């Protein structure tokens, strides 16, 4: 299968991760709905809704999307992403500050997180690395596993039920376990995903904050049904959501590998 070419503004390390994370899933079995029988009921409903019977259980995904992101004001962006749950992601985007283009990426793989954004591909706008950025990026990776639903059946993840609409999944990423709560409609649609994620949205010291996404609509690719639109940010479901929400996007295409 042809490799999806990385955007030209990636660093050598990010380009390496981009290529590694989209490798074809080896020996992907066809989905048997009985595989979901041992999941908590909300998770079972979601998996049966999200994966068509007989679909190869591919775990890597390459996404393209567009939307708005809060960089001061809300600004339009286009982005592409490679994602392999539990292993890593590279998210690359282009936005504009006035008429000037900003290109950059966020990434996580092998215990290292990084962000790097540049104006006109030359002038640094925002860059970061180190333990806090890595820990926050690992939380993002845990939360985004729902975009590749086959990961729900990975033997490394653990599930427990909260109530008839919510289930909690524990995902090992790097050296930590991350608990992610899924809210699932009676028909199996994914409604929201929340977790306690490391960050500093209030510009203070890094610490745990409520983080979440709200799912809007659905779209199906290669036998997988995933949210068509997502609104994401800090303090989801609280009175601070209006201040914490920082991204809204629509998925344009997805390739499972």
């Amino acid at each position: 299968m042809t490799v999806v070419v990385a955007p030209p503004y990636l660093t050598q390390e990010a380009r390496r991760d981009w290529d590694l994370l989209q490798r074809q899933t080896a020996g992907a079995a066809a989905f048997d709905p009985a595989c979901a029988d041992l999941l908590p009921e909300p998770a079972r409903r979601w998996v049966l809704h999200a994966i068509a019977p007989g679909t190869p259980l591919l775990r890597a995904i390459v996404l393209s999307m567009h939307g708005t992101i809060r960089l001061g004001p809300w600004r339009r962006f286009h982005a592409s992403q490679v994602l392999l749950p539990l292993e890593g992601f590279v998210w690359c985007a282009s936005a504009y500050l006035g008429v000037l283009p900003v290109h950059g990426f966020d990434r996580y793989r092998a215990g290292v997180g990084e962000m790097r954004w540049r104006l006109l591909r030359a002038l640094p706008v925002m860059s970061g690395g180190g333990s806090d950025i890595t820990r926050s990026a690992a939380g993002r990776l845990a939360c985004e596993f729902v975009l590749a639903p086959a990961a729900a059946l990975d033997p490394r993840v653990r599930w427990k039920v909260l109530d008839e609409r919510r289930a909690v999944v524990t995902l090992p990423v790097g050296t930590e376990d991350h608990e992610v709560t899924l809210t699932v409609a009676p028909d199996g649609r994914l409604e929201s995903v929340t977790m306690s994620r490391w960050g500093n949205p209030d510009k203070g010291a890094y610490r745990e904050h409520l983080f979440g996404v709200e799912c809007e609509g659905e779209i199906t690719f290669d036998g997988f049904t995933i949210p068509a639109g997502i609104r994401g940010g800090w303090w989801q479901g609280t009175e601070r959501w209006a201040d914490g929400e920082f991204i809204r996007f629509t998925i344009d295409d997805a390739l499972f590998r």
Side-chain angles (χ1 to χ4, degrees), residues 167-181:
V168 176
V169 59
T170 301
L171 303 105
V173 177
T175 59
E176 289 190 81
D177 286 345
H178 299 262
E179 288 196 346
V180 179
T181 300

Side-chain angles (χ1 to χ4, degrees), residues 76-190:
R76 291 177 296 171
F77 76 88
H78 289 82
S80 55
Q81 179 176 8
V82 295
L83 169 67
L84 180 58
L86 308 185
E87 305 300 332
F89 71 88
V90 182
W91 186 78
C92 314
S94 298
Y96 285 86
L97 296 179
V99 297
L100 300 178
V102 176
H103 303 286
F105 64 87
D106 296 348
R107 71 180 180 99
Y108 174 91
R109 193 187 75 82
V112 176
E114 179 190 19
M115 62 172 66
R116 182 177 297 191
W117 298 86
R118 293 180 178 271
L119 185 67
L120 299 172
R121 299 193 187 179
L123 303 175
V125 173
M126 181 172 57
S127 298
S131 60
D132 287 325
I133 296 297
T134 292
R135 190 172 177 183
S136 184
R140 170 179 171 171
L141 175 61
C143 190
E144 291 187 345
F145 91 99
V146 296
L147 295 174
L153 301 171
D154 191 303
R156 292 173 290 178
V157 308
R158 306 188 303 277
W159 289 92
K160 64 182 178 182
V161 66
L162 281 184
D163 54 40
E164 63 182 12
R165 295 177 69 93
R166 295 181 298 160
V168 176
V169 59
T170 301
L171 303 105
V173 177
T175 59
E176 289 190 81
D177 286 345
H178 299 262
E179 288 196 346
V180 179
T181 300
L182 278 61
T183 302
V184 181
D187 64 0
R189 289 178 297 108
L190 187 62

Side-chain angles (χ1 to χ4, degrees), residues 48-72:
L48 294 179
H49 180 79
I51 311 176
T55 298
L57 291 173
L58 304 175
R59 295 184 61 246
I61 183 172
V62 184
L63 297 157
S64 61
M65 64 193 73
H66 74 279
T68 56
I69 188 169
R70 185 177 278 176
L71 299 171

